[in-house]
Amino acid sequence: WDAESGILFSGDLAVSVGVDPTRTITDLGPHLPRMEAFHRRYMVSNKVLRLWAAMVRPLPIRMIVPQHGCALQGPAVQDFIDWAAGLDCGIDLMA
């Protein structure tokens, strides 16, 4: 988290696959198909994502910049946090 710029460098959270990484996403909905499979497979559990969301939600985030894929800006920032907090993933999907 860089407080001066308002950029959250998120590592593997918000990664997108098969995209032009120079694009900045402001509308998350159409971009979700490029993110969902990765997050369902590689995020540990919904509990972990809820804890992450609770930690970052109070920050004045202007942009989320993942390790791979497109940056998220504007409405896409809070939309991603909300989406991640509700995502079943990892051990949640194991029977």
Side-chain angles (χ1 to χ4, degrees), residues 11-85:
D12 280 341
L13 276 167
V15 161
S16 51
V17 179
V19 296
D20 175 1
T22 63
R23 288 183 53 218
T24 299
I25 304 302
T26 57
D27 182 7
L28 188 65
H31 191 64
L32 283 175
R34 300 290 190 180
M35 306 172 88
E36 189 167 4
F38 176 88
H39 287 79
R40 286 196 188 278
R41 180 179 182 126
Y42 291 107
M43 298 300 113
V44 174
S45 70
N46 178 258
K47 181 177 182 178
V48 171
L49 289 178
R50 286 192 322 266
L51 291 168
W52 173 82
M55 180 179 65
V56 301
R57 208 173 247 123
L59 300 174
I61 301 169
R62 290 184 49 247
M63 184 180 281
I64 296 177
V65 179
Q67 186 173 351
H68 305 285
C70 301
L72 306 178
Q73 191 172 25
V77 169
Q78 287 304 312
D79 289 348
F80 176 76
I81 294 169
D82 293 341
W83 176 79

Side-chain angles (χ1 to χ4, degrees), residues 82-95:
D82 293 341
W83 176 79
L87 184 68
D88 288 331
C89 57
I91 63 171
D92 304 325
L93 303 176
M94 299 179 78

